[in-house]
Amino acid sequence: MLEINNEYGDIRFSKNVIIKIVEDAVERTEGRAVLMNYKGRYRNLMPGVDTDEVTVHDGEDGMSIEIYVALRFGSSISDVCGGIMEYVSDRVEKVMGERPRLVRVVLTAVISKDIASRHMVFEKYGNESEG
């Protein structure tokens, strides 16, 4: 899906397009969620350094996107994670013309005075109907 062939030619999307969509989705949570890597550590803010917060797998059956986040204590886990998954699915479809096969949000930690490790997985499949 990162490469689309149509009557106008070949279109190639960078994984950075997906990462930007994910960053926008997390920003829309108004600080209730932050990107973290799979080990529950804050993202590396050094420019040019690869991040572990978002992974994109592009296979024959479609694209899957995995997002690692931490939530602030008191936030609704299902609302925040569901909102991120919905936004990413919708925006990827709008930009690329096809919904991702899978969007997975992995909750790695809950942030209060300290960071409490967690491992909760939420998934949204592209062929699910709205309900």
Side-chain angles (χ1 to χ4, degrees):
M1 192 167 138
L2 291 174
E3 186 173 321
I4 298 172
N5 304 317
N6 61 23
E7 66 271 9
Y8 301 112
D10 298 340
I11 303 169
R12 291 181 183 85
F13 294 96
S14 167
K15 288 184 181 180
N16 291 332
V17 172
I18 305 298
I19 291 170
K20 178 62 177 150
I21 291 171
V22 169
E23 288 173 344
D24 290 347
V26 171
E27 187 176 300
R28 290 174 51 91
T29 68
E30 299 174 347
R32 292 181 290 166
V34 294
L35 287 171
M36 283 201 157
N37 67 20
Y38 63 93
K39 296 177 184 174
R41 295 194 174 102
Y42 282 107
R43 73 183 306 179
N44 190 339
L45 299 177
M46 296 295 293
V49 176
D50 288 335
T51 60
D52 297 330
E53 296 88 18
V54 180
T55 57
V56 179
H57 302 284
D58 192 20
E60 290 181 16
D61 55 346
M63 181 188 328
S64 61
I65 303 167
E66 194 166 46
I67 307 161
Y68 297 93
V69 298
L71 296 183
R72 303 265 180 223
F73 182 78
S75 299
S76 170
I77 294 172
S78 61
D79 287 350
V80 173
C81 292
I84 291 171
M85 290 186 296
E86 191 64 36
Y87 183 85
V88 170
S89 291
D90 290 346
R91 294 302 295 174
V92 167
E93 181 178 28
K94 189 172 186 174
V95 170
M96 299 180 147
E98 186 178 327
R99 287 183 89 76
R101 178 183 59 83
L102 170 68
V103 177
R104 176 181 294 136
V105 174
V106 180
L107 175 62
T108 60
V110 174
I111 303 168
S112 59
K113 290 181 182 179
D114 297 316
I115 297 177
S117 294
R118 297 286 183 267
H119 185 82
M120 298 174 73
V121 179
F122 302 88
E123 295 180 334
K124 176 174 181 48
Y125 289 90
N127 57 0
E128 289 180 353
S129 61
E130 302 275 300

